Amino acid sequence: MKVHLSHPTRDVVIQGPKRVAEIFKELNLLPEAFLIIRGQDLITEDETVADGDSIEIRPVISGG
Amino acid sequence: MRCRKCPKRAVLGLPRHNTAFCGDCLTEFVRTQVQRAIKTQQMFSPEDRILVAVSGGKDSLTLWEILLKLGYRVDALYVDLGIPGYSSRSKEKVVQFAKMVAEPCGSRLTIHTVEEDAGAGIKELANLIKRPTCSACGTIKRYQFNRVAWQNHYNVMATGHNLDDEAARLLGNVLQWQEEYLQKQSPSLPASVEGFAKKVKPLYRMTEREIAAYAVVNRIDYLVEECPMAKGAKMLVFKDALNRLEAESPGTKQRFYWGFLDRQEKSSSVAPSMSQIDQTTLQPCTVCSQPTTAGTCSFCRMMVRAKTAVK
Ligand code: SF4
Ligand SMILES: [Zn+2]
Ligand SMILES: [Zn+2]
């Protein structure tokens, strides 16, 4: 699957299918600091992302 | 995961409330929480005229949208800081939102351009007067927000500060025992002497993640990119630390900040209120006549320094 990340903007490829919670662990990210977006929709941590999917892991924490 | 209120698929888990919501129920939950914040902190009523400071980010655009949806009389101010790239991208988001969402509801956007007013963007100005960009920026944004509110007779000024912002700031202030700042950390500060409107933070009950989720669900097109000056900001370290605690024990952030507010409320009957303190220490600036503690306000002093540096 393709995973889009920000700050800095980059794309990484991860082997799927995988649950969102596992993706967070693999990338060493805190779920409280991100949203997961597939297409235009938010998905929760228990959902499984297929190998052919593209998702965005969007940071929600701002510095201001 | 299913929504806890209806049979639909959940879009967001909220561990701190031990629940999960679909898009519609999340929208309702967030609006209800904001309305509760407005009521319990006596922020404003439907008669008040509210000015919200918008940056193009998720918090301020979401705040503008929610206040419109709740039926309040709200307009917005955007300050164009003149930061190459970032400022034009954030302005585009704000202008687009104004056109598509706000103007059809009769709400107006005012744009203040720092470069037109001061002859230089924020980075150049900060260099001229040898101050960190963010501190010069803070002075300018505060000043313009006050000025526009005052000149256009808004009686309430609203900002998009959320639970994470306030908890992180509280942590910073407590670590340094900054008692005078602690006093000002209320989500609703009363109007003081003439020239300062009431200042409120209607999103203080919502986490950043809940606000971002609301924005995505309601198709609020905000700028995900951060101001390039914000990198390495101390606030991010505090927010990260709090989110680690939150992961171990959901609800930590709200217990920390709301608990502080409860304590503050209990002790406020003895201590002088903020407005009493302001009344005794603020006078009109000798140059621009906005209220200040210093004779000439920090904005006017900054502008004088910038002009002499140019000569
Ligand atoms: S990060 Fe600094 S320069 Fe950028 S908007 Fe915030 S205060 Fe201004
Ligand atoms: Zn629902
Ligand atoms: Zn002044």
Side-chain angles (χ1 to χ4, degrees):
Chain A
M1 75 187 74
K2 216 173 84 185
V3 180
H4 180 76
L5 295 150
S6 303
H7 309 166
T9 305
R10 63 206 187 277
D11 287 315
V12 299
V13 175
I14 290 179
Q15 189 69 43
K18 210 163 250 163
R19 285 183 45 198
V20 171
E22 288 162 16
I23 300 171
F24 272 122
K25 265 197 205 119
E26 190 166 327
L27 296 171
N28 197 17
L29 300 173
L30 270 180
E32 179 71 11
F34 298 91
L35 291 176
I36 317 101
I37 304 172
R38 184 168 55 196
Q40 281 210 307
D41 299 319
L42 291 176
I43 57 174
T44 49
E45 277 172 65
D46 61 324
E47 291 212 36
T48 301
V49 184
D51 199 39
D53 284 353
S54 287
I55 58 167
E56 177 189 353
I57 299 187
R58 183 182 290 187
V60 298
I61 305 302
S62 46
Chain B
M1 206 187 280
R2 295 273 138 204
C3 176
R4 294 287 174 85
K5 282 177 83 180
C6 78
K8 280 188 271 183
R9 185 182 65 84
V11 296
L12 192 77
L14 289 88
R16 72 178 174 123
H17 292 296
N18 191 22
T19 191
F21 292 130
C22 70
D24 289 340
C25 294
L26 176 73
T27 297
E28 196 198 305
F29 167 78
V30 172
R31 288 185 192 161
T32 306
Q33 288 292 319
V34 173
Q35 186 62 50
R36 178 175 298 171
I38 295 166
K39 284 263 153 67
T40 56
Q41 297 287 329
Q42 297 164 354
M43 292 184 178
F44 44 77
S45 70
E47 289 76 49
D48 286 313
R49 287 191 66 221
I50 307 156
L51 182 67
V52 45
V54 292
S55 66
K58 65 183 189 312
D59 303 300
S60 55
L61 287 186
T62 295
L63 175 59
W64 194 4
E65 198 258 14
I66 293 176
L67 294 184
L68 286 172
K69 288 280 157 34
L70 293 175
Y72 289 105
R73 297 169 67 192
V74 55
D75 293 322
L77 169 70
Y78 172 80
V79 177
D80 181 343
L81 301 166
I83 296 171
Y86 170 77
S87 286
S88 59
R89 287 192 287 275
S90 63
K91 184 168 150 186
E92 201 186 305
K93 296 285 185 196
V94 172
V95 169
Q96 192 64 13
F97 180 90
K99 210 166 87 190
M100 304 303 289
V101 184
E103 280 162 18
C105 303
S107 174
R108 280 185 356 154
L109 169 67
T110 299
I111 295 177
H112 175 85
T113 306
V114 171
E115 212 162 341
E116 274 170 17
D117 181 54
I122 184 69
K123 264 165 124 177
E124 256 181 280
L125 275 178
N127 278 343
L128 276 175
I129 60 168
K130 299 187 176 60
R131 259 174 65 185
T133 310
C134 289
S135 108
C137 180
T139 300
I140 289 186
K141 284 194 294 194
R142 260 193 310 279
Y143 181 83
Q144 297 302 341
F145 195 24
N146 275 318
R147 182 186 62 80
V148 172
W150 180 39
Q151 287 180 351
N152 299 285
H153 311 289
Y154 290 97
N155 55 340
V156 179
M157 294 158 66
T159 51
H161 292 95
N162 55 48
L163 177 57
D164 293 67
D165 293 326
E166 295 307 302
R169 194 168 141 209
L170 178 59
L171 180 60
N173 286 338
V174 167
L175 289 175
Q176 305 283 344
W177 288 116
Q178 303 261 32
E179 285 183 60
E180 65 283 29
Y181 290 113
L182 280 176
Q183 261 211 20
K184 288 198 181 185
Q185 236 207 304
S186 156
S188 182
L189 289 175
S192 49
V193 281
E194 204 179 335
F196 273 149
K198 187 172 185 177
K199 293 195 172 86
V200 298
K201 299 171 180 172
L203 299 183
Y204 83 93
R205 300 179 68 88
M206 313 309 307
T207 66
E208 299 208 271
R209 187 164 163 271
E210 291 155 5
I211 294 164
Y214 177 96
V216 171
V217 165
N218 289 281
R219 308 276 184 255
I220 297 172
D221 184 20
Y222 67 91
L223 190 69
V224 176
E225 174 191 346
E226 287 271 291
C227 175
M229 305 295 127
K231 274 183 200 129
K234 217 174 194 167
M235 278 301 149
L236 287 176
V237 179
F238 293 142
K239 284 183 176 180
D240 185 62
L242 286 166
N243 276 340
R244 281 169 203 282
L245 296 170
E246 184 79 22
E248 293 301 318
S249 172
T252 299
K253 289 185 286 196
Q254 78 183 47
R255 281 192 298 275
F256 182 49
Y257 184 54
W258 300 1
F260 163 75
L261 293 179
D262 283 346
R263 255 149 249 259
Q264 205 182 35
E265 200 189 335
K266 279 188 200 117
S267 61
S268 68
S269 45
V270 257
S273 76
M274 269 309 301
S275 64
Q276 281 167 330
I277 294 171
D278 279 359
Q279 301 277 3
T280 54
T281 53
L282 294 179
Q283 305 141 20
C285 165
T286 51
V287 180
C288 71
S289 72
Q290 266 198 47
T292 177
T293 47
T296 305
C297 78
S298 54
F299 176 82
C300 291
R301 272 182 290 145
M302 196 168 110
M303 286 306 151
V304 168
R305 278 180 64 190
K307 284 201 185 100
T308 36
V310 171
K311 274 177 203 157

